[in-house]
Amino acid sequence: MTQSPAPAPQPPAAPATFHVYDTTLRDGAQQEGINLSVADKLAIAPMLDALGVGFIEGGWPGAVPKDTEFFKRAAKELDLRNAELAAFGATRKAGVRATDDPLVRALLDSEAPVVTLVAKSDVRHVERALRTTPDEGLAMIQDTVRFLAREGRRVFVDAEHFFDGFRYDPGFSRRAVVAAFEAGAEVVALCDTNGGMLPDWVRDVVADVRAAVGPHAVLGMHAHNDSGCAVANTLAAVDAGCVHVQGTVNGYGERTGNADLLSVVANLELKLGRPVLAREPGGPGGLAELTRIAHAISEITNISPFARQPYVGASAFAHKAGLHASAIKVDPDLYQHTDPELVGNDMRMLVSDMAGRASIELKGRQLGIDLAAHPDVLSRVTNRVKDAEANGYTYEAADASFELLLVEELEGARPAYFRVESWRTIVERNGSRGAAATAEATVKLHAGGERVVRTGEGNGPVDALDHALRLALTRVYPELEDFELIDFKVRILDQMQGTDAVTRVLIESTDGQTSWSTVGVGPNLIEASWEALTDSAIWGLRNRGVAPR
Ligand SMILES: CC(=O)SCCNC(=O)CCNC(=O)[C@H](O)C(C)(C)COP(=O)(O)OP(=O)(O)OC[C@H]1O[C@@H](n2cnc3c(N)ncnc32)[C@H](O)[C@@H]1OP(=O)(O)O
Ligand SMILES: CC(=O)C(=O)O
């Protein structure tokens, strides 16, 4: 007999407030390899605002000159609709009055409406890193919070190393949080600074603190991802009563990063039914912007998007296995945890040797080719793909070559834009030391009812072949003048099915509007490249609606 699941435990009563606090521009910028200019920060902030976060932590004014400049310019140049800017900084130094601490003063000077103070809440850090007493550690928190609150700032406190500290000496860590609230802090975010917590540990500690501070105190969570649990830890904290979540876009951050705020908000909204992003009614923004903003920000950080990133990655809704595709054909929900459109992403079908007929049918549909009424074609294409992949081809990154294969099986032949008679290449280098090699290629083909022979030059044999092919075809197909080769990848595949190594070439081309990828395989680089180059020309012409001449 099936047992009904136990009712989920109810979260403790908590304030209606819920904060989404982004720290991409501060903690995200602490990631190795990220270096954001003031202009970069000014470009990212409006994207975060459009996403609907409530707070944007812009950096540490006074400590980092670029951040001082950011707050100065942000006040004049940014027109934020949803978010408030937060300036990050530390509590006063030991033995110094808050009013006399230049870094505390710099927080005021930033004119940010919110100030977030990092405060030591692990007694070991107070004694060993600050080299002071627990009482002075608590006084540093209280004095700084009180001073800034009196100056009219909303004060948030990041309780640094809270979880490690709590597991070592819960009494001191609790007192640090209570001290911050008593002094006027509006939020205390409990930080897993070293990122090593697990969700159950977080839940227990947050529940303890929640009981100590009462149901109305705004507790937050700031998680790092060193145990791979930052998002889960953030959700566990919410479950236990946190109503303020911190994180960074794409999970950027020190070491292994912070909680990916995009996953956090998607999970809160889609899985837990908590609308947490601000949205203008009927307007853009919110979750539907998630994928676009993730990629736009990765352009600015110059960190390649992570394909397997939950919700927003290129592979997040990409399906490869044949069995998955056959169920998806019936209902996409059978193999997807959520609808990709809700987060602005797309479902993609990947064609490979793991494809079955359903994968090919769905891929055809995605390419605008309905194969439902052609079971014979589906079987032939499936078999051809499996054979070709066993011989070194890969179609999941070469949609254009796959489409040509499909058209060939459907229409009985490839589009006959030209017929190749032969081609050859020569690489030449004179005997002088340091002289560069040059390449020349000759292509003989038939197009537009004529035999055409053309020679092209290039800095290598593939470049020369590309030039010769264009020279031979552009009189008949002037559209080719817009085509450009934008990426070229080579891989040597050893011992395919007991044969010698083969070479696989993947080419990406563009006509300025569309880009497409083709694949070629051969016993050497030149033959593989020729196949990918000719596929590229054929697909590009067909896509433009050009008829064979
Ligand atoms: C967990 C986090 O990620 S918090 C964010 C960390 N971010 C950064 O550190 C980036 C910006 N940092 C900086 O530019 C510099 O470290 C500065 C300007 C803040 C300080 O530079 P310096 O004065 O040269 O000091 P240094 O970096 O060597 O040491 C930090 C000092 O801050 C003190 N400190 C550390 N945490 C705190 C805190 N929460 N409250 C008060 N003081 C603190 C340390 O005790 C040390 O003081 P000391 O110089 O009297 O020994
Ligand atoms: C404040 C902060 O970044 C941390 O404790 O990790």
Side-chain angles (χ1 to χ4, degrees):
M1 199 176 84
T2 319
Q3 289 195 334
S4 42
Q10 293 303 304
T17 326
F18 200 98
H19 297 162
V20 177
Y21 183 104
D22 181 277
T23 176
T24 307
L25 302 183
R26 196 279 298 174
D27 218 350
Q30 288 177 218
Q31 172 164 317
E32 181 175 14
I34 291 186
N35 185 353
L36 298 176
S37 65
V38 176
D40 291 337
K41 290 189 172 205
L42 289 168
I44 291 173
M47 295 184 197
L48 299 170
D49 186 51
L51 181 63
V53 307
F55 299 92
I56 299 173
E57 190 172 83
W60 188 340
V64 181
K66 272 190 303 195
D67 294 352
T68 310
E69 176 70 12
F70 167 76
F71 283 99
K72 211 182 279 172
R73 286 184 56 187
K76 290 192 217 119
E77 296 175 33
L78 291 182
D79 176 21
L80 302 178
R81 285 157 181 259
N82 298 311
E84 293 210 61
L85 278 184
F88 178 90
T91 55
R92 70 163 172 83
K93 285 217 170 173
V96 176
R97 283 162 24 122
T99 43
D100 297 339
D101 188 315
L103 283 179
V104 175
R105 284 252 153 228
L107 293 170
L108 276 185
D109 294 344
S110 75
E111 294 187 7
V114 178
V115 170
T116 300
L117 293 171
V118 59
K120 299 282 190 202
S121 59
D122 178 338
V123 73
R124 292 166 299 182
H125 276 261
V126 173
E127 290 173 343
R128 291 167 61 192
L130 297 181
R131 294 180 303 282
T132 190
T133 61
D135 284 347
E136 171 64 352
L138 297 177
M140 288 162 70
I141 299 174
Q142 290 216 303
D143 292 351
T144 321
V145 172
R146 224 173 255 133
F147 169 63
L148 291 166
R150 272 197 209 121
E151 292 288 332
R153 302 306 151 95
R154 297 175 71 179
V155 184
F156 296 1
V157 168
D158 277 356
E160 197 193 356
H161 292 105
F162 184 79
F163 291 90
D164 293 306
F166 189 96
R167 286 160 71 85
Y168 175 74
D169 177 353
F172 179 82
S173 299
R174 258 190 233 111
R175 280 165 63 208
V177 173
V178 171
F181 279 127
E182 282 177 356
E186 183 181 328
V187 176
V188 176
L190 310 178
C191 301
D192 181 16
T193 307
N194 290 357
M197 291 295 124
L198 298 178
D200 284 349
W201 302 355
V202 167
R203 196 178 279 106
D204 290 349
V205 172
V206 173
D208 179 300
V209 179
R210 169 58 70 208
V213 296
H216 299 295
V218 181
L219 283 179
M221 180 69 191
H222 174 108
H224 280 266
N225 200 34
D226 302 68
S227 61
C229 292
V231 171
N233 286 343
T234 306
L235 297 176
V238 170
D239 190 39
C242 282
V243 287
H244 165 115
V245 288
Q246 299 196 357
T248 59
V249 169
N250 300 330
Y252 299 139
E254 188 103 27
R255 305 184 308 280
T256 57
N258 285 56
D260 182 348
L261 196 64
L262 307 181
S263 292
V264 170
V265 296
N267 285 325
L268 286 169
E269 294 214 349
L270 297 175
K271 304 297 167 75
L272 298 174
R274 298 180 81 142
V276 293
L277 292 173
R279 261 193 88 173
E280 284 169 36
L287 280 192
E289 298 285 313
L290 221 58
T291 303
R292 184 185 68 75
I293 286 173
H295 288 84
I297 291 178
S298 66
E299 284 294 323
I300 297 175
T301 57
N302 203 20
I303 303 276
S304 302
F306 175 45
R308 287 181 288 114
Q309 188 175 351
Y311 290 103
V312 299
S315 303
F317 300 95
H319 303 281
K320 185 158 168 177
L323 290 190
H324 295 207
S326 76
I328 283 171
K329 210 176 89 174
V330 179
D331 179 353
D333 287 350
L334 291 172
Y335 266 101
Q336 288 185 157
H337 71 108
T338 193
D339 178 354
E341 274 186 30
L342 295 174
V343 290
N345 208 340
D346 291 319
M347 180 176 89
R348 292 188 306 125
M349 296 310 300
L350 303 176
V351 168
S352 75
D353 53 356
M354 289 187 201
R357 282 169 298 133
S359 321
I360 304 290
E361 185 180 338
L362 288 175
K363 185 73 191 180
R365 214 186 277 169
Q366 202 177 300
L367 297 171
I369 302 172
D370 185 3
L371 295 165
H374 302 278
D376 50 330
V377 174
L378 285 175
S379 297
R380 286 203 306 275
V381 172
T382 309
N383 291 337
R384 266 190 73 180
V385 166
K386 283 183 190 285
D387 286 349
E389 293 234 348
N391 288 311
Y393 288 82
T394 180
Y395 290 105
E396 66 178 66
D399 269 3
S401 288
F402 170 73
E403 189 173 338
L404 293 179
L405 186 155
L406 207 157
V407 167
E408 186 179 334
E409 287 299 337
L410 194 64
E411 297 175 1
R414 297 196 134 210
Y417 289 102
F418 52 90
R419 181 170 64 78
V420 179
E421 186 181 307
S422 67
W423 53 266
R424 70 159 185 242
T425 63
I426 302 165
V427 180
E428 186 178 16
R429 208 195 92 168
N430 70 34
S432 356
R433 267 175 86 91
T438 56
E440 189 182 295
T442 299
V443 165
K444 298 178 186 174
L445 52 75
H446 299 257
E450 294 173 7
R451 178 172 185 266
V452 193
V453 179
R454 290 287 182 278
T455 296
E457 290 178 317
N459 51 23
V462 177
D463 192 33
L465 265 179
D466 184 36
H467 286 142
L469 181 63
R470 284 159 195 277
L471 285 172
L473 288 174
T474 37
R475 205 183 65 74
V476 181
Y477 300 111
E479 295 83 358
L480 272 160
E481 279 173 15
D482 298 338
F483 296 6
E484 196 190 338
L485 200 155
I486 50 175
D487 197 16
F488 181 86
K489 291 196 193 90
V490 183
R491 198 152 159 215
I492 310 294
L493 308 163
D494 33 63
Q495 300 290 316
M496 302 293 303
Q497 294 193 336
T499 64
D500 287 341
V502 294
T503 304
R504 174 165 73 214
V505 167
L506 283 164
I507 281 178
E508 193 179 349
S509 310
T510 184
D511 60 3
Q513 284 164 356
T514 311
S515 57
W516 62 95
S517 298
T518 52
V519 60
V521 169
N524 62 56
L525 170 69
I526 320 272
E527 285 191 58
S529 304
W530 174 254
E531 186 180 11
L533 284 172
T534 49
D535 266 14
S536 170
I538 295 169
W539 191 92
L541 290 168
R542 187 173 182 277
N543 181 55
R544 282 278 185 103
V546 176
R549 296 171 187 144

